[in-house]
Amino acid sequence: MKSNYNLPFTNKTEDQIVFQNPWHSQLFAITVQMSEKGNFSWKEFVEVFGESLKKHRSLSKNLDGSNDYFSCWLNALEEILIIKKISNKDTLVLLKEDWTQAYLSTPHGKPVNIKYRSV
């Protein structure tokens, strides 16, 4: 039997949808796993994420908890990867370009395969 307690940082209960899009949950899981593997502490990530949220609020003043919130999360993850020298801006730009090209050229319903170029 499922309980109906509220999940942290949401107004949802555990039997309701927490992530609105698959990439939201994937981004969250990647970030948690990278932290658990010791790439950065959760405290470090939260600090960078907080700054990302502040920047977004100063530009648009509104976060609805959907794509805008997770775009801030992605920006924070990219920033901490650069800070920790796990990656660099050039590599992240290439990865985004490669992913976009692969996504746009993949037939609907087929898995996306990235042909990654290294820097």
Side-chain angles (χ1 to χ4, degrees), residues 9-82:
F9 311 113
T10 73
N11 61 358
K12 306 284 187 196
T13 59
E14 68 178 321
D15 59 345
Q16 294 174 312
I17 296 172
V18 176
F19 299 103
Q20 293 179 344
N21 294 303
W23 75 271
H24 298 168
S25 59
Q26 293 163 347
L27 178 61
F28 179 83
I30 289 167
T31 307
V32 169
Q33 184 177 35
M34 290 190 78
S35 177
E36 288 176 348
K37 297 261 184 200
N39 292 288
F40 47 83
S41 72
W42 195 249
K43 181 181 177 192
E44 290 172 315
F45 176 76
V46 168
E47 289 172 5
V48 175
F49 181 50
E51 289 301 314
S52 180
L53 291 171
K54 283 181 196 174
K55 286 178 196 172
H56 181 82
R57 284 188 188 117
S58 71
L59 297 174
S60 71
K61 299 182 184 176
N62 191 14
L63 285 165
D64 68 9
S66 183
N67 285 338
D68 56 357
Y69 179 85
F70 284 96
S71 290
C72 289
W73 188 289
L74 177 59
N75 290 338
L77 180 59
E78 291 173 344
E79 183 67 24
I80 203 162
L81 293 176
I82 293 168

Side-chain angles (χ1 to χ4, degrees), residues 99-111:
W99 189 91
T100 300
Q101 182 59 39
Y103 174 77
L104 293 175
S105 63
T106 300
H108 181 72
K110 300 290 182 184

